[in-house]
Amino acid sequence: WQDKKFTNFCGVSQVLRLKTTVGETTRLTRTCVESILQIRNIAYNIALVFDTSASSQDECVDRYPKQDHNNDGIPNTKLDAQIDAALELLDSICGTYDLGNNNVTVGVISFSDTATYHNIYLPCEENAPLWVNPDLQAAIVSLQAQGSSNYVDALEKVKLYFDVAPQDRINNVYFLSDGKPSLTGVSEESQTVEWKNPIVEADYTAVLADLDGHSAHRFSVGFCHGADIRKGFDLDIIDNTDIGPYTDLDTVIGGLPLHNPNIGKVTEFEVLVNDVVSENVEGEIENTPTGLIYTGIVNGLDPVSGHDNNIIVRVHVNRDCAPGDTPSPTGAPTEPPTRTPTTAPIIAIGSATNPPTASPTDPPTISPT
């Protein structure tokens, strides 16, 4: 493996590790490869923000099977869909190697007429770390729908969570709603999908600036049929990711997008076999909560007995600022942010060595990666 300190144009730094694993021996001209680009000492603070207004009790017709997570007697509501997505996310955290109670906290916020910051929790059960913390799960499934939608107060409560959460972590906000905010005292039934209040819109500036101070990555997720995720409207204003706002159907099994926390983007990925760029690479690159993982098969190895084959994985990462990062001229590299993005090569080397003896009748033996 190789570690490299990486700093983007906003002065945000991470220590990235590129680790490559290949089969130890092969009698073929191909071998399996696994390459991981991950952040060293990764840690998260995760704010889960639930819309518990009256409209969240409407049926979510897109979802199956029917579930009643909060036991309100009405299955498959928009709130049930939000709860389902949050629990999927928590299951993913507790089931991911390198993530758990030592490096993840979860803040639970719900909002209707006003917002409530419920508490800060550890994600996993202490004595059974593959399971979700029962206190956290109980807080989520106890949410009930009533009242209007106060987006601004919800974001203010997110700030309260980040103020008390551990510092120097990746801060993620998952803002879950149908995308139809309303002011306290104004019934949601009187709003139309075209409605957007300019006072509330103006208030976003201050609260989102506060969250930018925490370098918060804000994921807006519009739930169920008719969710208002139009550009320039509320969920779009709150979201600061490259491809949001999301819909719940964009995510896998109703889960939430927790992936690829690396700053900068991978602009080039190549595999070299014996110093020659492989043109026939089979496999895929997967986003994970700890970084990027490539798994696949490369061709072009020399099958001669006893020959050492060197496999090099090279990744180029640009230095563009990530969503939520605030430009910091004193901490940034000397290159101006407006220049063509610079690539920072990170190289890891693995080798695949052929066995000293080989028989054409022997089955291929490739060590699993």
Side-chain angles (χ1 to χ4, degrees):
W1 69 79
Q2 183 178 93
D3 290 349
K4 184 180 182 69
K5 185 176 181 180
F6 181 85
T7 304
N8 71 4
F9 285 127
C10 286
V12 179
S13 296
Q14 294 174 338
V15 176
L16 298 182
R17 167 168 289 184
L18 181 61
K19 181 179 180 181
T20 297
T21 306
V22 300
E24 293 181 2
T25 62
T26 180
R27 293 186 174 94
L28 305 176
T29 59
R30 58 196 310 193
T31 187
C32 52
V33 175
E34 179 182 74
S35 192
I36 303 174
L37 180 65
Q38 64 182 171
I39 300 175
R40 297 296 317 280
N41 305 317
I42 190 170
Y44 282 100
N45 295 315
I46 295 175
L48 295 175
V49 187
F50 297 88
D51 183 345
T52 58
S53 62
S55 66
S56 68
Q57 205 169 39
D58 295 343
E59 183 181 8
C60 191
V61 296
D62 299 322
R63 302 185 68 84
Y64 182 85
K66 292 187 179 295
Q67 296 174 309
D68 184 13
H69 284 295
N70 63 347
N71 294 314
D72 63 355
I74 309 174
N76 247 38
T77 64
K78 294 177 180 178
L79 182 53
D80 287 323
Q82 295 176 54
I83 293 172
D84 186 52
L87 294 179
E88 287 283 350
L89 173 65
L90 297 173
D91 283 337
S92 174
I93 291 171
C94 296
T96 298
Y97 182 74
D98 284 343
L99 291 182
N101 290 349
N102 64 317
N103 57 2
V104 179
T105 70
V106 180
V108 176
I109 296 96
S110 63
F111 66 92
S112 55
D113 293 337
T114 59
T116 300
Y117 167 45
H118 294 265
N119 210 336
I120 182 172
Y121 298 89
L122 296 176
C124 310
E125 187 172 351
E126 183 177 357
N127 297 320
L130 293 179
W131 296 88
V132 175
N133 178 353
D135 293 334
L136 171 56
Q137 181 163 330
I140 293 173
V141 300
S142 67
L143 298 174
Q144 300 293 315
Q146 60 178 349
S148 57
S149 304
N150 192 331
Y151 278 20
V152 174
D153 197 28
L155 295 169
E156 293 283 2
K157 297 304 191 292
V158 172
K159 181 181 179 298
L160 291 182
Y161 161 58
F162 285 144
D163 285 343
V164 300
Q167 301 302 300
D168 299 319
R169 292 188 172 191
I170 297 171
N171 293 328
N172 281 3
V173 182
Y174 296 96
F175 195 95
L176 317 179
S177 177
D178 57 11
K180 301 173 184 178
S182 57
L183 291 173
T184 303
V186 180
S187 68
E188 291 195 333
E189 289 73 14
S190 68
Q191 312 293 341
T192 69
V193 72
E194 299 294 333
W195 175 84
K196 188 172 69 167
N197 188 295
I199 298 176
V200 176
E201 193 176 21
D203 284 345
Y204 284 133
T205 303
V207 69
L208 294 183
D210 288 338
L211 293 178
D212 287 342
H214 287 285
S215 297
H217 303 272
R218 304 188 301 270
F219 299 82
S220 292
V221 187
F223 275 82
C224 304
H225 181 73
D228 190 357
I229 59 172
R230 291 172 298 163
K231 295 298 181 184
F233 281 66
D234 298 87
L235 288 184
D236 181 55
I237 293 171
I238 293 171
D239 192 289
N240 68 346
T241 65
D242 288 338
I243 59 176
Y246 300 78
T247 71
D248 65 320
L249 298 180
D250 291 332
T251 59
V252 179
I253 321 177
L256 297 175
L258 177 64
H259 57 255
N260 190 15
N262 301 346
I263 59 175
K265 293 181 180 178
V266 174
T267 58
E268 184 178 344
F269 174 86
E270 59 186 4
V271 181
L272 291 78
V273 179
N274 296 327
D275 299 323
V276 177
V277 176
S278 178
E279 301 294 341
N280 188 14
V281 178
E282 306 169 24
E284 60 183 17
I285 298 177
E286 178 186 1
N287 287 306
T288 77
T290 56
L292 295 170
I293 296 180
Y294 163 76
T295 54
I297 296 174
V298 295
N299 299 274
L301 277 70
D302 188 336
V304 174
S305 176
H307 182 84
D308 287 340
N309 289 278
N310 289 322
I311 297 174
I312 298 175
V313 173
R314 181 179 289 128
V315 177
H316 293 261
V317 183
N318 71 20
R319 287 184 173 143
D320 285 355
C321 294
D325 292 345
T326 303
S328 175
T330 59
T334 55
E335 298 91 343
T338 54
R339 67 188 292 277
T340 301
T342 301
T343 57
I346 308 172
I347 303 172
I349 299 177
S351 65
T353 305
N354 301 308
T357 59
S359 168
T361 59
D362 289 340
T365 56
I366 301 177
S367 299
T369 59

